[in-house]
C-alpha cells in the first residue's frame, strides 16, 4: 500500500513539472503583444520604425497622431511628459489583463528581431514590467544613491522603452499628473527608485540589454552582427543580441548608420532589400506629366572642362520644358562659356535665372536663393543642386534620383583614383568628417545600395514639398561653410539625407591647381584630372588600337595610329596661334642648345607655352605603350629636347628638305585635315620611296629618327597645315 502511494505521489510530481515546462515552452501568445508609440508627425525616422515593425509583424498602435508636440526638446533638456499623458489616456480603453504592452519611442528606434524572441526574453526576467537600461543617469544625478545596486550590467533606467502586462503598466502611469513638458525619464526614475512601488508594480531593468539596447553611453559596446540574410546588433560587453535598438540622446547619427543594415536593409546575401520599395516611376508618364525641376548650377571658382559640363547638362534625360535653370556664376573667367550655352540653348528651358559676377553675391546667399525659387514656386517638384565641378556622366541621373522618392538624395560621385566622395559616412565629435566603417566599401562599390548619411554635397536632389513644409527657413546655408550649415540644419529637423551608389553617376573634378592664364586651360589638366583630360583630348578609338588592330604600317617601320581627338587638335592650334610667337624659320635659334638649327621650321616649342611637362606626360601615357609594342625590346621614358608645333603655309614655309631627326624615334601628329584645311602636305621616306600624302587629323606617325628614315616634308600648296612633332630620346 505504501509502495503504491509513493508511485501515485511521484506521478503527480512528474505531471506538475511537465505542465510547468510545457507552460514555459508555449510562452505568451504573440497576439497578446501590442506595440504602443507616440508620433505626433510622420518623420523619416517614424517611417523607418514602421518598416522594421512590419518586417517582423508587430502590431503597432500610434498615439498623438497629428497633435502638436508640447513635450519639449528633450534631446538637450528634460521633457517628454506628453508621451506619458498620451499613454495613460490610451490605456483606458484597453481591458485585457493578459495583454502585453511594449511602449517604445519611434523616431529613433529599429526592431532587430520579432515578437517571439521579445516575449520569450521578457518572460525569462520573471517580472511584470521591464525597462531598458543605461550606463548614464539622467536627468537628476542626485538620485543615483537611490538606485538598487546590480552585480553586473547597467544600473540606470531608460524611459525610451519598457514592456509589461497591461494592469502593471496602468499602475505604473496611474499617478502621472505632470505637464506635457515635464520629464518622463524623471517620472519613471522616481517610480523605480521607490522600493515599495518597484515591488508593487514588479519592475526590473534589462541590465544586460537582452531586450533593449540604448546607444547613448554604449557605442563602444556594440557591433553589427551579420547573420544569414539578417543583421543584428551584438552587445559585446554582455554577449547579448538586443531585440530593440534605440538611438537615444545624441546618438541619432549612429542609429541612422545602424538602420542602413538592421534588420535586413542591407545584407551580404541579398544586398539592398529596400532600395526598390516606394519608388516613383516616371516610365509611363507623358512629357507634360513629368515633374518640374529647378536645376541650380553653382560656379564658385575657376573650374576645368566647363564647356563639357554644359554639353552633359544638355544630355540630361528630362524634358527641357520641365526644367528651370538657376545659374550662379561668381567667376568672370567662365562668363563666356555660360553666355555661349544660354545663347545657343537657353530657349529650350522653361525659365532661366542667372546671377553674374557683377552682382557680388556670395555662395551661401546664392544657394539660399536657389532653394527659395523652388520653395516659392508651387509647381516646383524638385530642386536639383549641381556644382560646376561635378562630372555627371550618367544622363539618367535626374530620373534615377526622382524615382528613389526620397526627401534628399545624392548620387555618389568620387574623385578619380582617390577615396574622396560627395558624402560622409559619419561625423566627428565636433561635427566634421569622420570615416564610417563601411565608407571605403561603399565608395569602392563593394556594398551597393541607398545609404542614410549625415552629409552630402556638390550634387543632390531635394523635394520641393519638403522645402515648403519642413524647410521653410530661408537661411539654410551660411557663409562660413555653406554645405556644413545646410546638412546641420537638415539633421536638426530630423530629415534623412541619402546617397545612392546603385548606379555609376560620374565623378568630381579637382580644381585646386587650375590656372587660367591660357586660352585653353583644360589642356594643362593631364595631371590634376587625367580621366577627364583623356575623355576630352584622346581619340575615341585610341583604346581599341591593339584589340581592333587599328595601327597601320604605311611604310617600313613607320606606324600610324589615332591619338588626338578633334578637340585636342583644334585646341593645340588655337593655343599656339593665341601665343603667336612663331619662329622665323632661320638657322639661328636661341631656344635650343648651341643656338643653331640645321633644319629649321616655323614653329613654337612646347616649353614656350609652359607645356613641356604635360607633353611628356602625354607621350609616356599614350605614345610609349605603342612604341614598346611596335619595337619589342626597346623601352623609353619619353625624354625629349624638342617638342613643337610646326606651321606650313605656301607663302611662308611650304615644305621641309630631306633630313634625319635628332631622335631615336619621332612622333608626328597631324593637327588639321587635308582637303578641308589645306592642300598637299605629307611626309616622304626617301630610302623606301614611300609617302604618306593624306595625313588624318589626330593620327600620329611613329618612326625612327636617325640613320634609316631619311625623310622630307612634302609641299603644302594651299591653306595652312599644322603638325605636332616630338624628337624622343635624342
Amino acid at each position: 500500500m505504501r509502495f503504491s502511494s509513493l508511485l501515485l505521489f511521484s506521478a503527480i510530481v512528474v505531471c506538475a513539472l511537465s505542465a510547468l515546462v510545457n507552460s514555459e515552452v508555449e510562452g505568451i501568445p504573440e497576439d497578446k503583444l501590442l506595440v504602443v508609440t507616440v508620433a505626433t508627425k510622420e518623420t523619416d525616422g517614424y517611417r523607418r520604425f514602421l518598416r522594421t515593425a512590419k518586417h517582423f509583424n508587430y502590431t503597432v498602435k500610434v498615439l498623438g497622431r497629428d497633435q502638436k508636440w508640447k513635450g519639449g526638446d528633450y534631446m538637450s533638456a528634460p521633457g517628454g511628459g506628453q508621451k506619458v499623458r498620451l499613454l495613460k489616456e490610451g490605456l483606458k480603453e484597453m481591458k485585457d489583463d493578459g495583454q502585453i504592452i511594449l511602449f517604445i519611442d519611434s523616431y529613433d528606434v529599429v526592431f532587430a528581431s520579432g515578437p517571439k524572441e521579445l516575449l520569450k526574453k521578457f518572460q525569462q526576467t520573471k517580472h511584470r514590467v521591464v525597462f531598458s537600461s543605461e550606463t548614464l543617469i539622467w536627468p537628476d544625478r542626485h538620485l543615483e544613491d537611490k538606485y538598487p545596486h546590480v552585480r553586473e550590467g547597467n544600473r540606470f533606467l531608460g524611459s525610451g522603452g519598457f514592456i509589461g502586462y497591461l494592469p502593471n503598466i496602468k499602475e505604473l502611469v496611474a499617478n502621472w499628473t505632470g505637464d506635457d513638458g515635464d520629464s518622463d525619464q524623471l517620472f519613471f526614475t522616481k517610480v523605480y527608485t521607490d522600493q515599495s512601488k518597484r515591488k508593487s508594480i514588479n519592475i526590473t531593468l534589462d541590465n544586460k540589454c537582452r531586450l533593449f539596447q540604448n546607444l547613448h553611453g554604449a557605442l563602444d559596446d556594440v557591433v553589427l552582427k551579420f547573420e544569414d540574410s539578417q543583421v543584428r546588433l551584438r552587445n559585446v560587453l554582455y554577449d547579448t543580441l538586443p531585440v530593440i535598438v534605440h538611438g537615444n540622446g545624441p546618438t541619432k547619427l549612429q542609429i541612422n548608420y545602424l538602420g542602413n543594415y538592421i534588420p535586413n536593409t542591407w545584407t551580404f546575401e541579398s544586398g539592398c532589400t529596400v532600395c526598390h520599395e516606394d519608388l516613383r516611376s516616371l516610365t509611363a508618364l507623358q512629357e507634360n506629366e513629368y515633374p518640374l525641376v529647378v536645376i541650380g548650377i553653382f560656379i564658385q571658382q575657376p573650374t576645368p572642362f566647363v564647356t563639357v559640363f554644359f554639353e552633359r547638362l544638355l544630355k540630361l534625360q528630362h524634358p527641357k520644358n520641365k526644367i528651370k535653370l538657376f545659374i550662379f556664376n561668381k567667376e568672370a573667367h567662365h562668363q563666356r562659356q555660360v553666355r555661349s550655352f544660354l545663347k545657343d540653348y537657353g530657349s529650350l528651358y522653361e525659365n532661366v535665372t542667372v546671377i553674374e559676377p557683377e552682382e557680388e553675391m556670395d555662395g551661401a546667399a546664392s544657394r539660399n536663393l536657389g532653394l527659395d525659387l523652388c520653395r516659392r514656386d508651387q509647381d516646383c517638384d524638385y530642386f536639383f543642386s549641381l556644382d560646376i565641378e561635378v562630372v555627371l556622366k550618367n544622363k539618367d541621373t535626374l530620373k534615377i534620383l526622382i524615382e528613389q522618392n526620397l526627401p534628399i538624395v545624392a548620387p555618389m560621385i568620387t574623385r578619380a583614383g582617390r577615396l574622396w566622395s560627395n558624402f560622409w559616412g559619419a561625423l566627428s565629435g565636433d561635427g566634421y568628417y569622420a570615416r564610417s566603417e563601411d565608407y571605403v566599401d561603399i565608395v569602392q562599390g563593394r556594398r551597393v545600395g541607398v545609404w542614410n548619411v549625415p552629409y552630402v554635397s556638390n550634387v543632390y536632389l531635394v523635394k520641393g514639398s519638403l522645402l515648403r513644409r519642413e524647410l521653410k527657413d530661408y537661411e539654410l546655408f551660411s557663409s562660413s561653410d555653406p554645405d556644413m550649415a545646410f546638412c546641420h540644419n537638415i539633421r536638426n529637423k530630423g530629415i534623412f539625407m541619402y546617397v545612392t551608389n546603385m548606379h555609376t553617376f560620374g565623378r568630381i573634378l579637382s580644381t585646386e591647381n587650375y590656372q587660367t592664364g591660357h586660352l585653353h586651360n583644360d589642356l594643362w589638366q593631364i595631371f590634376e584630372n587625367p580621366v577627364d583630360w583623356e575623355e576630352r583630348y584622346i581619340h575615341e578609338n585610341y583604346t581599341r588600337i591593339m584589340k581592333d588592330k587599328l595601327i597601320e604600317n604605311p611604310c617600313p617601320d613607320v606606324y600610324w595610329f589615332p591619338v588626338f581627338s578633334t578637340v585636342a587638335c583644334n585646341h593645340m592650334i588655337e593655343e599656339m596661334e593665341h601665343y603667336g610667337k612663331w619662329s622665323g624659320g632661320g638657322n639661328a635659334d636661341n631656344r635650343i642648345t648651341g643656338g643653331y638649327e640645321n633644319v629649321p621650321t616655323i614653329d613654337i616649342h612646347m616649353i614656350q607655352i609652359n607645356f613641356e611637362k604635360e607633353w611628356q606626360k602625354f607621350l609616356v601615357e599614350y605614345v610609349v605603350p605603342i612604341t614598346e609594342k611596335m619595337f619589342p625590346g626597346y623601352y623609353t621614358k619619353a625624354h625629349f629636347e624638342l617638342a613643337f608645333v610646326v606651321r606650313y603655309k605656301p607663302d611662308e614655309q611650304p615644305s621641309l628638305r630631306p633630313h634625319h631627326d635628332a631622335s631615336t624615334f619621332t612622333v608626328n601628329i597631324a593637327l588639321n585635315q587635308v582637303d578641308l584645311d589645306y592642300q598637299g602636305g605629307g611626309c616622304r621616306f626617301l630610302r623606301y620611296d614611300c609617302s604618306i600624302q593624306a595625313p588624318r587629323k589626330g593620327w600620329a606617325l611613329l618612326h625612327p629618327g636617325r640613320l634609316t628614315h631619311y625623310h622630307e616634308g612634302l609641299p603644302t600648296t594651299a591653306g595652312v597645315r599644322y603638325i605636332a612633332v616630338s624628337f624622343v630620346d635624342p
Side-chain angles (χ1 to χ4, degrees):
M1 187 71 176
R2 180 180 300 172
F3 179 71
S4 61
S5 298
L6 184 60
L7 284 175
L8 179 61
F9 175 76
S10 299
I12 292 170
V13 170
V14 169
C15 288
L17 289 173
S18 176
L20 181 60
V21 170
N22 287 337
S23 174
E24 290 185 354
V25 169
E26 290 175 6
I28 303 170
E30 292 183 27
D31 61 4
K32 288 292 186 181
L33 175 66
L34 178 66
V35 179
V36 180
T37 190
V38 171
T40 56
K41 66 178 182 179
E42 291 193 12
T43 66
D44 295 330
Y46 171 75
R47 284 184 282 271
R48 176 182 59 195
F49 167 81
L50 288 185
R51 187 177 68 243
T52 63
K54 180 181 179 182
H55 176 73
F56 292 112
N57 295 316
Y58 283 98
T59 301
V60 179
K61 182 178 179 62
V62 181
L63 306 176
R65 196 191 302 269
D66 297 326
Q67 293 187 21
K68 183 178 180 181
W69 175 250
K70 301 177 182 178
D73 177 18
Y74 57 97
M75 274 278 293
S76 55
Q82 187 174 354
K83 293 192 300 182
V84 188
R85 174 177 64 79
L86 290 170
L87 174 61
K88 182 177 178 180
E89 293 171 357
L91 294 176
K92 291 177 182 177
E93 62 187 48
M94 302 180 193
K95 307 299 182 185
D96 183 358
D97 287 352
Q99 189 166 43
I100 306 296
I101 302 297
L102 171 64
F103 188 65
I104 192 77
D105 287 352
S106 59
Y107 295 162
D108 50 9
V109 167
V110 294
F111 286 103
S113 187
K116 183 177 180 180
E117 181 179 336
L118 177 69
L119 291 170
K120 180 181 178 182
K121 289 180 174 179
F122 169 59
Q123 263 189 302
Q124 290 170 347
T125 67
K126 296 181 172 59
H127 284 75
R128 302 284 289 184
V129 175
V130 179
F131 269 86
S132 68
S133 67
E134 298 192 43
T135 60
L136 307 171
I137 183 171
W138 191 81
D140 188 351
R141 295 177 57 88
H142 297 95
L143 294 174
E144 180 175 352
D145 291 341
K146 294 188 176 182
Y147 269 93
H149 288 275
V150 294
R151 185 177 304 170
E152 185 180 12
N154 298 333
R155 184 182 173 193
F156 305 114
L157 175 146
S159 66
F162 55 86
I163 184 171
Y165 286 90
L166 177 61
N168 303 76
I169 299 296
K170 285 184 175 180
E171 184 180 354
L172 176 69
V173 298
N175 294 327
W176 171 263
T177 58
D179 295 331
D180 284 353
D182 289 346
S183 172
D184 61 334
Q185 173 82 15
L186 184 60
F187 171 75
F188 290 126
T189 297
K190 288 183 175 179
V191 173
Y192 178 71
T193 55
D194 185 319
Q195 185 175 1
S196 63
K197 290 181 180 178
R198 183 169 69 246
K199 185 175 181 181
S200 170
I201 302 172
N202 195 6
I203 308 174
T204 191
L205 302 185
D206 178 32
N207 303 102
K208 295 184 180 180
C209 306
R210 300 180 72 242
L211 290 83
F212 306 94
Q213 177 65 64
N214 289 313
L215 296 178
H216 188 31
L219 292 174
D220 293 335
D221 302 337
V222 296
V223 295
L224 285 171
K225 182 177 186 292
F226 291 89
E227 300 177 341
D228 292 339
S229 299
Q230 185 175 341
V231 185
R232 298 291 298 266
L233 191 72
R234 177 172 174 246
N235 186 307
V236 295
L237 188 61
Y238 305 121
D239 195 22
T240 55
L241 297 174
V243 177
I244 296 159
V245 184
H246 183 198
N248 59 318
T251 61
K252 302 297 181 265
L253 299 185
Q254 286 76 15
I255 190 64
N256 289 349
Y257 169 79
L258 297 173
N260 284 328
Y261 297 95
I262 300 171
N264 74 329
T265 307
W266 190 95
T267 68
F268 283 107
E269 294 80 8
S270 305
C272 182
T273 63
V274 301
C275 291
H276 300 289
E277 295 179 1
D278 302 321
L279 299 182
R280 176 183 181 177
S281 177
L282 302 181
T283 305
L285 296 184
Q286 299 296 318
E287 185 172 296
N288 63 349
E289 296 175 319
Y290 268 70
L292 178 67
V293 182
V294 173
I295 300 182
I297 298 166
F298 299 92
I299 308 172
Q300 295 189 250
Q301 67 279 318
T303 304
F305 305 108
V306 168
T307 300
V308 183
F309 172 92
F310 284 115
E311 290 172 1
R312 292 198 176 102
L313 181 67
L314 276 173
K315 296 176 183 177
L316 208 56
Q317 294 298 295
H318 198 87
K320 300 289 188 294
N321 62 350
K322 287 292 183 177
I323 294 176
K324 294 184 177 182
L325 293 181
F326 170 77
I327 301 176
F328 167 71
N329 179 24
K330 187 180 179 181
E331 286 297 325
H333 174 71
H334 291 307
Q335 275 187 301
R336 177 175 55 86
Q337 290 131 316
V338 172
R339 290 173 179 174
S340 175
F341 168 75
L342 292 179
K343 177 184 176 182
D344 293 339
Y345 305 107
S347 61
L348 299 177
Y349 295 91
E350 174 69 16
N351 181 264
V352 177
T353 301
V354 182
I355 306 296
E356 296 196 312
E358 295 80 10
E359 299 186 46
E360 297 184 347
M361 181 180 290
D362 70 18
S366 71
R367 293 177 187 273
N368 285 324
L369 177 59
L371 282 181
D372 201 49
L373 287 177
C374 180
R375 183 187 289 116
R376 290 187 288 107
D377 184 349
Q378 294 300 316
D379 293 328
C380 177
D381 296 294
Y382 296 94
F383 182 82
F384 186 45
S385 183
L386 184 59
D387 289 357
I388 197 71
E389 59 265 35
V390 172
V391 179
L392 213 53
K393 295 276 290 178
N394 192 328
K395 65 181 185 299
D396 293 318
T397 296
L398 195 51
K399 177 178 181 288
I400 292 167
L401 298 182
I402 291 172
E403 290 190 330
Q404 282 297 324
N405 198 25
L406 294 168
I408 299 175
V409 59
M412 188 189 78
I413 55 172
T414 59
R415 187 160 289 165
R418 295 174 59 183
L419 287 174
W420 189 98
S421 74
N422 65 322
F423 79 95
W424 296 351
L427 296 182
S428 63
D430 55 0
Y432 286 89
Y433 171 82
R435 180 172 291 182
S436 60
E437 292 181 10
D438 57 2
Y439 177 82
V440 174
D441 282 346
I442 293 173
V443 169
Q444 295 183 341
R446 290 192 292 271
R447 299 187 188 186
V448 175
V450 180
W451 311 94
N452 186 338
V453 296
Y455 176 92
V456 295
S457 64
N458 298 106
V459 52
Y460 48 85
L461 186 74
V462 183
K463 279 188 174 181
S465 58
L466 185 72
L467 293 171
R468 290 184 284 273
R469 189 177 61 247
E470 302 292 331
L471 299 175
K472 297 179 181 179
D473 298 336
Y474 183 87
E475 299 283 343
L476 292 175
F477 296 89
S478 63
S479 298
S480 56
D481 193 324
D483 291 328
M484 285 284 291
F486 175 72
C487 294
H488 174 78
N489 288 326
I490 298 300
R491 295 193 303 269
N492 282 354
K493 295 281 188 180
I495 297 167
F496 290 172
M497 293 173 281
Y498 296 88
V499 66
T500 172
N501 66 340
M502 295 280 286
H503 302 80
T504 300
F505 295 101
R507 55 187 174 270
I508 191 163
L509 296 168
S510 171
T511 61
E512 295 165 5
N513 298 310
Y514 187 59
Q515 303 297 318
T516 59
H518 304 281
L519 178 65
H520 293 295
N521 300 283
D522 297 347
L523 279 168
W524 278 258
Q525 287 294 297
I526 191 170
F527 290 104
E528 294 296 325
N529 293 290
V531 176
D532 299 87
W533 193 93
E534 178 176 310
E535 288 183 356
R536 186 67 163 162
Y537 292 126
I538 296 301
H539 197 285
E540 60 181 356
N541 293 330
Y542 176 82
T543 56
R544 297 171 44 227
I545 284 177
M546 298 303 180
K547 177 184 175 183
D548 296 345
K549 299 180 180 179
L550 297 182
I551 298 180
E552 299 183 17
N553 187 203
C555 300
D557 284 333
V558 176
Y559 298 98
W560 202 14
F561 58 92
V563 64
F564 261 176
S565 69
T566 297
V567 173
C569 295
N570 295 344
H571 282 193
M572 285 298 300
I573 293 172
E574 291 166 10
E575 193 66 45
M576 292 304 181
E577 290 292 0
H578 177 71
Y579 178 74
K581 298 179 182 179
W582 296 94
S583 65
N587 295 108
D589 192 342
N590 59 13
R591 298 173 302 171
I592 61 177
T593 303
Y596 183 84
E597 173 57 67
N598 188 41
V599 186
T601 55
I602 292 178
D603 57 49
I604 296 175
H605 290 189
M606 299 299 180
I607 196 171
Q608 290 178 263
I609 61 168
N610 298 315
F611 197 62
E612 69 278 12
K613 292 180 181 178
E614 288 77 9
W615 190 255
Q616 185 182 28
K617 176 71 171 175
F618 157 71
L619 293 175
V620 168
E621 294 294 329
Y622 301 102
V623 175
V624 166
I626 308 299
T627 306
E628 294 178 351
K629 188 73 175 179
M630 295 300 100
F631 297 99
Y634 181 75
Y635 302 99
T636 177
K637 294 184 179 179
H639 293 299
F640 65 86
E641 287 187 5
L642 289 178
F644 48 92
V645 170
V646 179
R647 184 173 72 185
Y648 290 111
K649 296 169 66 174
D651 58 351
E652 190 176 68
Q653 181 183 7
S655 60
L656 191 62
R657 67 178 175 82
H659 63 282
H660 285 295
D661 292 335
S663 67
T664 301
F665 68 92
T666 296
V667 182
N668 179 331
I669 304 172
L671 296 180
N672 55 348
Q673 187 64 50
V674 67
D675 295 333
L676 181 65
D677 301 311
Y678 64 91
Q679 299 292 323
C683 183
R684 176 171 175 259
F685 294 92
L686 280 71
R687 180 185 178 92
Y688 309 106
D689 192 22
C690 181
S691 298
I692 302 168
Q693 294 183 317
R696 300 168 193 160
K697 184 174 182 177
W699 282 57
L701 277 178
L702 175 69
H703 61 83
R706 296 188 181 90
L707 193 61
T708 58
H709 283 65
Y710 193 57
H711 60 284
E712 63 180 333
L714 298 175
T716 298
T717 58
V720 183
R721 178 187 176 212
Y722 297 89
I723 59 173
V725 180
S726 302
F727 295 163
V728 184
D729 294 345

